[in-house]
């Protein structure tokens, strides 16, 4: 049987289910409503939904159904048992499809029963008391029986043992099945510091014109509220393909999952900003590479560690590496989380499509993204808003990322200052600027400066010209001595520097006149100094 595409809406008194079944046999359609369960059958389609509230049973025949030929869809209007009751999770299609109480994890053989809350109150209290800044310890791994774990909530092991050929194109860590989470993290940090490119970072630090376009870009999710977030058609189709299961996580696993979500969303936000909201062929690489969770199978235990990893990797691997840009991406991540699970779900579904189109990164969907898409539909918006508020309080400095950025920037500024101070062109430009501020009148006096300052400026300019001429004369003398060793003339006056300069090139007849001109200029300067 096929699961049809469907939509669910509600008003004060009704739940409206639209089932798109263009190839259905209308005459054989069946609808059954039993409190919170809605069932639709019309060969070859079958749909079963479980709602958070109760509907009026179909036996009372208070529902209506019609077939819209233009849409190729059945529109079924069901009556609520309690008018005005708000049904939740109507956009979370995978949750609606999951049978009540379904689970993907084997239940314990022994279960404690009884008590007023029947176990539900403790879960809510645990959620409310969750401390984002409390560092969680990873559980000890029994390598003999289970092997080293990774993936969503650290549930997978031994995946890459049989996929060695796919390993390099998916992750950066080598032989993950034989390395613990601690070993993987140490290797990751060593690798990051080893490949950090100082020149690339400084280029993006000083050339702000390259970065400005991305800093000024305002993503569309800043202009909407959580109530205005909508899932597009591609999202709805992908939701129908997700597995119908529920993830039962303990407190330690929840911490790892939430912190990994921050890491993955940061990489999505970076790609979204750097592509100006339009994905490109490198989007899958950007997302996978920036996320330590995806590329190194890392499991974070503290919120600040996540931010440090995100910031440092954004300065090491992508095309644009700028501290201000990294901070803007962090703000984007906070905004996405504050919009609630529907926006987060949209981001995760988009990542899933990117990885499916970029082999062999589809393996990352099986390890992480698909489970995240299923799990996030059960998370309360308040939980994500609390996580966003905690992220706002995290303060990460350049010193924290461990790349010596402050020293690197200070050394670069010092080099630039020295080069600027030693540049003769800058000295001449400064002198020309001072001379340009003067006003010359007919008798040669200068207005705006005193005579001593004017004479000092003129002497400085003449000395610089004379030093340049002497430098040229010396170089000509050296050249002429080497070229005219075999053609020396005893009648040549060696005390006359103009004659020495005239022998610069015996094959050029114009050299003598050029040297004479230089000597005449030198003599003129000497006479002016004596006077």
């Amino acid at each position: 049987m096929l699961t049809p595409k469907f939509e669910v809406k509600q008003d004060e008194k009704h739940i409206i289910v639209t089932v798109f079944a263009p190839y259905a046999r209308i005459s054989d359609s069946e609808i059954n409503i039993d409190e919170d369960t809605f069932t639709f059958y019309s060969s070859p389609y079958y749909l079963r939904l479980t709602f958070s509230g109760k509907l009026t049973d179909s036996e009372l025949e208070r529902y209506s159904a019609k077939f819209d030929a233009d849409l190729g869809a059945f529109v079924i209007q069901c009556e609520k048992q309690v008018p005005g009751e708000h049904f939740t999770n109507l956009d979370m299609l995978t949750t609606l499809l999951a049978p009540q109480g379904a689970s993907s994890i084997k239940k314990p053989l022994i279960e404690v029963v009884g008590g007023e809350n029947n176990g539900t109150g403790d879960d809510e209290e645990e959620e409310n008391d969750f401390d984002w800044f409390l560092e969680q310890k990873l559980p000890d791994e029994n390598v003999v029986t289970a092997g080293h774990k990774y993936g969503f909530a650290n549930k997978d092991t031994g995946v890459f043992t049989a996929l060695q050929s796919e390993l390099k194109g998916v992750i950066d860590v080598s032989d993950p099945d034989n390395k613990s989470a601690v070993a993987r993290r140490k290797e990751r940090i060593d690798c990051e510091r080893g490949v950090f490119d100082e020149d690339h970072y400084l280029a993006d630090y000083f050339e702000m014109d390259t970065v400005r376009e991305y800093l000024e870009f305002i993503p569309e999710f800043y202009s909407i509220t959580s109530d205005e977030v909508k899932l597009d058609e591609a999202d709805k189709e992908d939701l129908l393909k997700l597995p119908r299961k529920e993830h039962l996580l303990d407190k330690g696993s929840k911490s790892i999952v939430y912190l990994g979500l921050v890491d993955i969303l940061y990489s999505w936000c970076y790609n979204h900003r750097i592509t100006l909201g339009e994905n490109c062929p490198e989007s899958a690489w950007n997302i996978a590479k920036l996320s330590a969770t995806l590329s190194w199978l890392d499991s974070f235990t503290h919120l600040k560690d996540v931010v440090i990893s995100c910031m440092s990797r954004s300065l090491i691997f992508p095309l644009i590496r700028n501290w201000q840009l990294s901070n803007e991406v962090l703000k984007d991540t906070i905004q996405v989380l504050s919009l609630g699970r529907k926006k987060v779900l949209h981001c995760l579904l988009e990542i899933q499509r990117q990885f499916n189109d970029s082999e062999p990164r589809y393996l990352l969907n099986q390890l992480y993204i698909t489970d995240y898409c299923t799990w996030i539909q059960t998370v309360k918006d308040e939980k994500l808003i609390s996580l966003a508020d905690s992220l706002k309080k995290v303060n990460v400095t350049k010193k924290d990322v461990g790349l010596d950025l402050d020293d690197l920037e200070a050394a670069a500024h010092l080099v630039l200052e020295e080069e600027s101070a030693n540049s003769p062109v800058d000295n001449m430009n400064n002198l020309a600027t001072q001379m340009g501020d003067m006003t010359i009148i007919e008798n040669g006096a200068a207005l705006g400066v005193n005579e001593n300052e004017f004479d000092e400026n003129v002497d400085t300019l003449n000395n610089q010209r004379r030093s340049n001429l002497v430098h040229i004369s010396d170089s000509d003398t050296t050249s002429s001595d080497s070229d005219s060793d075999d053609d020396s003339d005893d009648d040549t006056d060696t005390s006359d520097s103009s004659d020495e300069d005239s022998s610069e090139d015996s094959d050029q007849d114009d050299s003598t006149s050029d040297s004479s001109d230089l000597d005449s200029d030198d003599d003129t300067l000497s006479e002016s100094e004596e006077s």
Side-chain angles (χ1 to χ4, degrees):
M1 305 299 291
L2 300 178
T3 300
K5 177 182 175 182
F6 67 96
E7 294 179 351
V8 182
K9 298 180 181 179
Q10 66 178 324
D11 56 27
E12 288 294 319
K13 297 182 179 180
H14 302 93
I15 290 291
I16 301 96
V17 182
T18 303
V19 182
F20 297 90
Y23 306 110
R25 298 179 60 181
I26 301 175
S27 60
D28 295 336
S29 300
E30 297 180 7
I31 298 172
N32 183 57
I33 303 172
D34 183 12
E35 293 188 344
D36 60 350
T37 303
F38 170 90
T39 306
F40 169 86
Y41 170 76
S42 183
S43 181
Y45 302 101
Y46 176 80
L47 178 66
R48 185 177 187 273
L49 306 177
T50 303
F51 295 104
S52 60
K54 294 183 178 181
L55 302 172
T56 302
D57 291 348
S58 56
E59 294 179 356
L60 299 178
E61 297 183 352
R62 293 182 182 177
Y63 71 93
S64 63
K66 64 178 181 180
F67 182 78
D68 190 326
D70 294 332
L71 294 177
F74 292 86
V75 180
I76 303 103
Q77 183 173 276
C78 310
E79 186 180 89
K80 297 179 179 178
Q81 283 192 13
V82 181
E85 180 183 3
H86 179 74
F87 284 34
T88 60
N89 297 334
L90 296 185
D91 289 322
M92 305 295 110
L93 305 186
T94 309
T95 303
L96 293 177
L97 290 169
Q100 191 69 27
S103 173
S104 62
I105 300 177
K106 185 177 180 180
K107 294 184 178 181
L109 298 178
I110 300 176
E111 182 178 0
V112 179
V113 297
E116 296 180 358
N117 295 327
N118 198 23
T120 58
D122 293 339
D123 292 339
E124 293 181 359
E125 184 178 354
E126 182 181 292
E127 288 284 334
N128 295 331
D129 295 340
F130 199 92
D131 187 358
W132 298 112
F133 296 99
L134 178 64
E135 184 172 5
Q136 304 288 327
K137 293 184 178 180
L138 294 174
D140 296 333
E141 297 178 352
N142 190 337
V143 182
V144 176
T145 59
H148 295 295
K149 295 183 178 181
Y150 42 80
F152 180 84
N154 283 342
K155 65 178 179 58
D156 295 312
T157 184
V159 174
F160 292 100
T161 301
L163 296 173
Q164 290 296 323
S165 60
E166 307 287 347
L167 181 63
K168 188 174 182 181
V170 180
I171 59 176
D172 294 333
V173 60
S174 59
D175 196 15
D177 292 310
N178 293 315
K179 291 180 181 175
S180 65
V182 176
R184 293 196 297 267
R185 174 169 296 185
K186 183 180 184 303
E187 183 179 340
R188 171 178 67 82
I189 295 175
D190 292 341
C191 177
E192 290 172 354
R193 294 178 179 178
V195 300
F196 174 59
D197 191 333
E198 297 179 351
D199 294 336
H200 193 144
Y201 172 78
L202 289 176
D204 289 344
Y205 173 76
F206 287 106
E207 295 295 333
M208 289 301 296
D209 290 340
T210 306
V211 187
R212 188 169 291 109
E213 179 183 15
Y214 309 112
L215 292 175
E216 295 176 351
F217 173 68
I218 302 178
E220 74 286 349
F221 47 76
Y222 280 100
S223 59
I224 60 175
T225 63
S226 57
D227 294 334
E228 297 172 335
V229 176
K230 302 295 182 183
L231 298 177
D232 56 30
E233 293 300 320
D235 294 336
K236 294 177 181 179
E237 292 180 3
D238 290 339
L239 283 175
L240 299 178
K241 302 174 185 177
L242 294 177
R244 281 67 151 163
K245 62 182 180 180
E246 180 184 356
H247 294 279
L248 303 180
L249 307 176
D250 57 26
K251 189 172 183 179
S253 298
K254 284 182 180 179
S255 174
I256 294 174
V257 170
Y258 277 115
L259 297 180
L261 177 65
V262 174
D263 180 52
I264 294 172
L265 285 181
Y266 184 95
S267 64
W268 180 90
C269 289
Y270 181 94
N271 175 74
H272 190 76
R273 180 172 285 273
I274 209 69
T275 60
L276 304 180
E278 298 290 339
N279 289 316
C280 68
E282 298 299 323
S283 293
W285 184 92
N286 286 337
I287 296 171
K289 196 70 173 182
L290 261 66
S291 171
T293 300
L294 300 177
S295 58
W296 281 88
L297 310 180
D298 206 343
S299 298
F300 292 99
T301 57
H302 195 275
L303 189 58
K304 187 172 182 178
D305 291 341
V306 181
V307 180
I308 291 175
S309 173
C310 293
M311 299 284 283
S312 62
R313 293 183 71 81
S314 67
L315 300 175
I316 296 173
F317 296 105
L319 179 62
I320 305 299
R321 309 172 187 178
N322 181 272
W323 181 260
Q324 293 184 36
L325 179 63
S326 299
N327 276 287
E328 288 299 317
V329 175
L330 181 59
K331 295 177 183 178
D332 295 345
T333 306
I334 295 173
Q335 176 65 14
V336 169
L337 286 170
S338 65
L339 289 176
R341 62 181 172 184
K342 192 184 298 185
K343 182 59 184 179
V344 174
L345 176 60
H346 166 75
C347 299
L348 293 171
L349 290 172
E350 185 175 294
I351 294 174
Q352 185 184 56
R353 290 192 290 271
Q354 291 292 324
F355 287 168
N356 281 334
D357 294 336
S358 176
E359 292 189 2
R361 293 189 179 91
Y362 67 88
L363 292 174
L364 296 176
N365 286 336
Q366 299 178 11
L367 287 173
Y368 291 98
I369 305 303
T370 299
D371 286 325
Y372 265 110
C373 291
T374 304
W375 166 79
I376 198 64
Q377 297 180 60
T378 64
V379 177
K380 297 179 180 179
D381 288 340
E382 293 78 12
K383 195 68 175 177
L384 298 176
I385 294 173
S386 172
L387 181 57
D389 292 338
S390 299
L391 268 178
K392 295 177 183 178
K393 301 175 183 178
V394 176
N395 181 29
V396 174
T397 64
K398 293 181 179 179
K399 183 179 180 180
D400 292 330
V401 299
L403 300 176
D404 298 327
L405 300 181
D406 289 326
D407 295 340
L408 182 62
E409 293 171 8
H413 282 292
L414 183 61
V415 170
L416 289 178
E417 291 174 1
E418 292 179 351
E419 291 180 352
S420 178
N422 296 331
S423 175
V425 176
D426 291 339
N427 294 335
M428 293 295 291
N429 289 337
N430 293 335
L431 181 60
T433 301
Q434 297 176 8
M435 298 289 289
D437 293 336
M438 301 184 231
T439 303
I440 307 300
I441 59 178
E442 293 181 357
N443 58 4
L447 299 179
V449 296
N450 57 47
E451 294 182 359
N452 291 333
E453 291 178 346
F454 176 75
D455 293 338
E456 291 175 359
N457 291 333
V458 173
D459 292 340
T460 301
L461 181 61
N462 287 336
N463 289 335
Q464 290 177 347
R465 291 180 58 195
R466 183 161 51 254
S467 64
N468 292 336
L469 293 174
V470 171
H471 175 71
I472 295 174
S473 176
D474 291 341
S475 62
D476 290 341
T477 302
T478 304
S479 176
S480 62
D481 289 342
S482 61
D483 293 337
S484 59
D485 286 342
D486 296 337
D487 299 329
S488 61
D489 189 352
D490 293 339
D491 296 335
T492 302
D493 187 359
T494 60
S495 64
D496 191 350
S497 62
S498 64
D499 291 339
E500 290 178 354
D501 294 337
S502 66
S503 61
E504 178 181 359
D505 189 352
S506 59
D507 295 333
Q508 297 181 2
D509 295 336
D510 295 339
S511 62
T512 303
S513 60
D514 294 338
S515 298
S516 300
D517 292 340
L518 293 175
D519 289 334
S520 63
D521 290 341
D522 194 22
D523 293 338
T524 303
L525 288 174
S526 299
E527 292 175 0
S528 65
E529 288 181 351
E530 293 176 358
S531 62

